[in-house]
Amino acid sequence: MTRLFLYYFLALVLKCCVSEDWCYQSQMSCEQPCKGPVVWNEVNESCGGNRQSPINIVSKKTVQSSSLTEFRFTGYNEIFTSRLKNTGQTVSLDIPLGASVSGGNLSQTYNAVQLQFHWGNSGSPGSEHTIDGEQYPMELHIVHIKDTYISVEEALSDPKGQASLGFFFEESETENKEYSAFIEALAQVQDAESQADVLISLNNLILQQSKLKAYYRYEGSQTTPGCSESVIWTVFMQPIPLSKDQLAVFSSLKFKDGNPMVDNFRPVQPRKGRVVYRSNSGTTVAMINFTLVWLCVSTALSSYQIY
Ligand SMILES: *[C@@H]1O[C@H](CO)[C@@H](O)[C@H](O)[C@H]1NC(C)=O
Ligand SMILES: *[C@@H]1O[C@H](CO)[C@@H](O)[C@H](O)[C@H]1NC(C)=O
Ligand SMILES: *[C@@H]1O[C@H](CO)[C@@H](O)[C@H](O)[C@H]1NC(C)=O
């Protein structure tokens, strides 16, 4: 009897300590040992590779490229019903076949398959990519795979198998009505492993296309284990506005242990010599700004000369 109990106890200890479960830094505690981002390479060695994501983008070091043309979004305006899931690490939405992107220097059409979010705590820093060290409150990833592949698994062994679009969020004074339906649905997936159907179009979740010309591009990986190095990353410069209350709803979701799902982002990874490109429009915006400043200065100077 005592021996049986001992075996049982040992089994428990072993189960918890050699657990292959990965987790975010915010989930780590003494009671719940799990593999945090620093040791994700023990979950899959790809996580310690040379083209990992996310990264900090140093805007001054980015290289402008005229091949980074506008994207063509197909089926993004179609309304569909799909499964919203609390995966225990994030909230994700499966995207039925029909939405795709091309252009943007992608070699072919990529079909949208899934999207998920990464956030802080009720509006505190929580994006995965950072720009000049600044971390936005949240980031949306829309995952696409080459239209010649059937599943994400197939795309993993191709260094350009996936095209992920990253969108930052910023806190706004007013509510973003486009997000109302999605955020209402979050109430139904508070607990880990819970699911709900949501009626939505991808256009509800992103900015209008005229605001998506300015973006960064680099080659990286999935931002969760197995960290597969098969992703062409596009990170849009213009953030999506959400009110403080809307951002806070994401933090009301729960991790598996029942604690609030907050800070579910991977820390930035070494760039390791990779070049980050930026589209022409990214520069145009900055140049218009410079032009405006110059106009102001010259107007001020000329009026000074009159007197
Ligand atoms: C554009 O695509 C070509 C062909 O895949 C590639 O060689 C080039 O590096 C890409 N340019 C940028 C800025 O991503
Ligand atoms: C690590 O991920 C790769 C895909 O990136 C996969 O082929 C491999 O089986 C994974 N290894 C382990 C140990 O899970
Ligand atoms: C324009 O310049 C202002 C002031 O320097 C800056 O705050 C703003 O971010 C700039 N806008 C863009 C789009 O670069």
Side-chain angles (χ1 to χ4, degrees):
M1 200 62 186
T2 329
R3 188 174 290 182
L4 239 174
F5 179 77
L6 191 70
Y7 283 149
Y8 179 70
F9 179 76
L10 270 174
L12 261 184
V13 168
L14 279 174
K15 185 170 180 288
C16 92
C17 298
V18 297
S19 161
E20 286 300 301
D21 280 350
W22 63 269
C23 64
Y24 289 107
Q25 189 70 39
S26 58
Q27 292 175 273
M28 293 174 72
S29 69
C30 298
E31 301 89 58
Q32 302 242 299
C34 57
K35 294 201 156 124
V38 175
V39 293
W40 282 1
N41 62 322
E42 292 172 15
V43 183
N44 191 309
E45 59 183 16
S46 298
C47 300
N50 288 326
R51 52 172 275 194
Q52 287 292 294
S53 295
I55 55 168
N56 173 43
I57 296 171
V58 181
S59 58
K60 269 192 198 160
K61 287 189 179 168
T62 59
V63 175
Q64 187 195 317
S65 167
S66 53
S67 48
L68 296 180
T69 53
E70 269 185 70
F71 286 94
R72 279 187 302 279
F73 295 92
T74 307
Y76 263 60
N77 54 346
E78 305 272 337
I79 296 171
F80 59 89
T81 301
S82 191
R83 200 51 61 84
L84 187 70
K85 288 182 209 160
N86 177 332
T87 67
Q89 314 282 10
T90 184
V91 58
S92 74
L93 183 72
D94 292 331
I95 305 170
L97 199 61
S100 63
V101 285
S102 58
N105 201 42
L106 298 175
S107 59
Q108 65 181 79
T109 300
Y110 284 70
N111 289 332
V113 289
Q114 202 238 19
L115 62 82
Q116 83 275 140
F117 293 83
H118 302 272
W119 61 86
N121 187 352
S122 304
S124 70
S127 66
E128 295 213 297
H129 289 95
T130 60
I131 307 292
D132 298 324
E134 182 185 356
Q135 191 179 17
Y136 290 85
M138 189 159 78
E139 187 171 333
L140 160 65
H141 293 160
I142 309 186
V143 179
H144 300 71
I145 57 171
K146 280 182 178 173
D147 67 354
T148 38
Y149 296 140
I150 308 288
S151 66
V152 174
E153 287 65 40
E154 255 189 292
L156 296 183
S157 52
D158 177 347
K160 295 185 175 179
Q162 307 181 64
S164 287
L165 307 183
F167 301 85
F168 292 126
F169 289 79
E170 69 180 351
E171 193 179 310
S172 57
E173 292 297 319
T174 56
E175 218 171 78
N176 181 342
K177 294 278 194 299
E178 295 286 320
Y179 261 82
S180 302
F182 187 86
I183 287 175
E184 268 171 38
L186 289 180
Q188 299 171 55
V189 294
Q190 298 274 296
D191 297 322
E193 323 282 355
S194 60
Q195 307 188 347
D197 280 339
V198 59
L199 184 70
I200 206 150
S201 81
L202 292 178
N203 272 351
N204 287 143
L205 302 179
I206 65 170
L207 295 168
Q208 58 200 81
Q209 286 184 29
S210 61
K211 292 181 174 170
L212 300 177
K213 293 177 189 170
Y215 61 87
Y216 297 108
R217 162 64 49 79
Y218 77 100
E219 290 180 3
S221 73
Q222 297 177 318
T223 64
T224 55
C227 310
S228 163
E229 298 189 325
S230 57
V231 184
I232 300 179
W233 271 103
T234 300
V235 178
F236 294 98
M237 296 184 194
Q238 180 84 43
I240 299 169
L242 279 191
S243 71
K244 192 173 177 60
D245 287 347
Q246 288 182 307
L247 284 168
V249 177
F250 286 83
S251 304
S252 70
L253 300 189
K254 294 185 181 74
F255 281 130
K256 284 199 183 89
D257 61 5
N259 284 328
M261 187 181 281
V262 296
D263 298 334
N264 57 349
F265 57 87
R266 185 188 194 187
V268 292
Q269 302 297 303
R271 193 163 54 87
K272 300 213 169 158
R274 283 174 287 173
V275 175
V276 180
Y277 296 94
R278 70 172 190 278
S279 62
N280 275 348
S281 305
T283 325
T284 316
V285 174
M287 272 167 61
I288 290 170
N289 219 346
F290 175 76
T291 311
L292 281 176
V293 171
W294 183 82
L295 274 176
C296 290
V297 171
S298 58
T299 310
L301 280 177
S302 57
S303 55
Y304 175 75
Q305 277 165 1
I306 290 168
Y307 293 104

